[in-house]
Amino acid sequence: MKQSIQDFTQEELSKEIKPSFRAKQIYSWLYHKYVTSFDEMKNLPKALKDELKESYRIELLKIVKIEDSIDGSRKYLFELEDGNTVEAVLLLMKKEQYHEDGTIKHQAKYTVCISCQVGCKVGCAFCLTAKSGFLRNLTAGEIVEQIRLIKKDNNIDANRRLNIVYMGMGEPLDNLDAVAKSSRIFADPNGMAISPNRQTISTSGLSSKIIKLGKMDLGVNLAISLHAVDDELREQLMPINKAYNIKSIIDAVKAFPINQRKRVMFEYLVIKDVNDDLKSAKKLLALLDGIKAKVNLIYFNPYGGTDFKRPNLKDMIAFQEYLTKRGLLCTIRESKGLDISAACGQLRDNEKDK
Ligand code: SAH
Ligand code: SF4
């Protein structure tokens, strides 16, 4: 099959296509105008368009379903060319605000949560994505296309700011090369220009890959799905902890290059009667001592067939206060898109189950 044009960084493209300024033009068509065919690239000579059609294809994911949440979030189900499906979610973090005369006062703030694999190998006990097993990695082009299509579908102008979180289906560090490449493509100033500062890679803690990611120096933010403070419990929740224990993760984080103004995010999925006690909060505080960290408490989102339960608000707040009172930044993640199963860990290739 022809290689997808979205698999190329601009630098790579400029080596393939001569004269090299054409690469910049192609980038602009793809990532500013969101075109879906080479024919739409109007300022390219016909001969070049023909050549492009001969050698490349434009990666096209098919939108097979869109679900709208009452909070303004939208979940997309994409079909890949081989028929597999993945999901991505557009999260409306702040609604657009207008002046009385109808002009825009504050632009809407968006975050897009994207997938990097069909399924996942890691197999966390609480995660719905894990239930479908692992099918395959996404290519860089398939990762890039999720954002491109969502921007196009929502008429999100090329120069509007947007955050990206690699928190959809799959484990980003288990598909590091494609993920790193997609991050570079997103960041290209002649393309979508989404600064690495606005990109967050979330991992279940593959320590050796955290170190590798750090060495790549992409400038992205790091989020660690910690969820438990002792190895015994973490192994039960996340079998990967047998290979990469908590200490190895903490050591890897300490070696990670972090933007001076940023913190490493530690995600802590709170499950009722499993890890919602203050003893755990105390251990967490000790564990993160010396790290520029922030903790994000996530409500466990239940789904059919799980024994785990959503924690109480009271326990969440007590956990949060325990940490903040002792100087550790801690927020409680708002569950967005709950009504459309777009919240954390609820993404699943579920068309097949129907
Ligand atoms: N594989 C990566 C990124 C995708 S998961 C990782 O694990 O970090 C994104 C986040 O959703 C993770 O923090 C994950 O632990 C969390 N999550 C998984 N299942 C969940 C559930 N049922 N409720 C709430 N969060 C969940
Ligand atoms: Fe994979 Fe993340 Fe789900 Fe664990 S939580 S199974 S790493 S997607």
Side-chain angles (χ1 to χ4, degrees):
M1 190 159 43
K2 292 181 215 167
Q3 209 177 343
S4 125
I5 195 101
Q6 292 103 311
D7 266 328
F8 292 86
T9 62
Q10 196 192 165
E11 199 190 342
E12 287 169 344
L13 209 56
S14 62
K15 283 184 191 136
E16 296 237 339
I17 295 163
K18 297 287 171 213
S20 57
F21 72 88
R22 296 290 183 202
K24 194 172 162 191
Q25 291 177 325
I26 295 171
Y27 247 60
S28 174
W29 284 113
L30 285 171
Y31 302 121
H32 299 159
K33 306 268 190 334
Y34 316 130
V35 302
T36 52
S37 70
F38 291 111
D39 285 329
E40 291 166 80
M41 302 183 173
K42 294 210 168 48
N43 58 356
L44 304 189
K46 172 147 189 327
L48 177 60
K49 278 190 274 195
D50 289 344
E51 202 182 303
L52 289 171
K53 276 188 259 179
E54 257 321 282
S55 316
Y56 312 98
R57 63 196 168 89
I58 295 188
E59 181 76 58
L60 292 177
L61 308 188
K62 211 161 54 191
I63 299 177
V64 281
K65 195 154 116 200
I66 300 175
E67 286 172 85
D68 282 305
S69 163
I70 44 167
D71 65 25
S73 303
R74 310 187 95 178
K75 181 167 78 165
Y76 284 81
L77 182 72
F78 293 114
E79 190 179 300
L80 310 172
E81 276 167 318
D82 62 4
N84 280 310
T85 52
V86 290
E87 293 183 334
V89 188
L90 173 69
L91 299 152
L92 181 63
M93 308 309 277
K94 215 180 193 169
K95 292 203 174 111
E96 201 123 71
Q97 286 176 12
Y98 300 91
H99 291 290
E100 275 173 18
D101 64 1
T103 54
I104 291 177
K105 191 171 165 195
H106 291 295
Q107 290 195 330
K109 279 194 183 156
Y110 297 108
T111 295
V112 188
C113 174
I114 51 174
S115 294
C116 63
Q117 295 179 321
V118 186
C120 184
K121 280 181 214 161
V122 179
C124 301
F126 47 77
C127 175
L128 200 52
T129 298
K131 304 275 180 268
S132 29
F134 171 78
L135 286 167
R136 73 164 172 91
N137 281 327
L138 296 194
T139 61
E142 287 167 333
I143 299 173
V144 167
E145 191 60 2
Q146 296 171 51
I147 299 281
R148 213 177 75 93
L149 276 187
I150 286 182
K151 289 185 86 175
K152 182 182 171 80
D153 195 53
N154 292 278
N155 296 315
I156 301 177
D157 199 70
N159 53 31
R160 285 283 287 278
R161 293 210 166 141
L162 185 108
N163 295 315
I164 297 178
V165 293
Y166 290 83
M167 292 186 186
M169 296 163 69
E171 165 53 51
L173 299 192
D174 188 34
N175 185 15
L176 183 53
D177 289 341
V179 164
K181 192 165 200 192
S182 66
S183 160
R184 290 199 180 99
I185 296 172
F186 289 136
D188 192 312
N190 293 316
M192 291 199 248
I194 302 167
S195 143
N197 257 320
R198 296 184 165 275
Q199 303 178 23
T200 301
I201 294 183
S202 173
T203 176
S204 56
L206 285 68
S207 316
S208 58
K209 296 287 181 67
I210 295 174
I211 291 170
K212 204 167 161 198
L213 176 69
K215 288 195 177 135
M216 290 178 163
D217 220 7
L218 294 172
V220 294
N221 302 308
L222 183 65
I224 304 286
S225 292
L226 193 65
H227 311 331
V229 286
D230 50 67
D231 284 315
E232 201 185 326
L233 176 63
R234 198 165 188 276
E235 268 176 33
Q236 286 172 26
L237 298 176
M238 308 173 73
I240 191 138
N241 197 72
K242 291 190 191 109
Y244 302 105
N245 65 14
I246 296 177
K247 183 176 183 306
S248 77
I249 297 173
I250 298 293
D251 289 347
V253 168
K254 284 183 175 161
F256 193 84
I258 300 153
N259 182 317
Q260 286 302 310
R261 300 187 313 259
K262 297 281 181 170
R263 292 166 186 273
V264 174
M265 190 208 283
F266 285 85
E267 298 164 275
Y268 190 90
L269 176 69
V270 189
I271 308 174
K272 188 173 164 31
D273 300 332
V274 172
N275 62 357
D276 57 352
D277 55 302
L278 291 185
K279 245 166 86 187
S280 298
K282 188 175 177 188
K283 276 195 186 168
L284 183 58
L285 188 73
L287 199 62
L288 302 186
D289 188 36
I291 298 179
K292 242 181 109 184
K294 66 175 173 211
V295 174
N296 196 217
L297 300 179
I298 311 174
Y299 279 96
F300 171 70
N301 289 320
Y303 45 84
T306 178
D307 292 335
F308 293 130
K309 293 191 182 69
R310 190 179 163 87
N312 297 324
L313 175 66
K314 186 173 97 337
D315 293 329
M316 286 289 264
I317 291 175
F319 200 106
Q320 180 192 29
E321 279 183 353
Y322 184 93
L323 299 179
T324 47
K325 277 195 182 136
R326 287 159 184 82
L328 179 56
L329 203 66
C330 177
T331 49
I332 297 177
R333 184 177 298 172
E334 237 187 289
S335 284
K336 290 202 175 282
L338 260 183
D339 53 331
I340 52 167
S341 293
C344 291
Q346 297 197 320
L347 300 186
R348 179 179 189 184
D349 180 358
N350 54 12
E351 281 304 277
K352 292 215 182 80
D353 304 337
K354 288 178 187 156

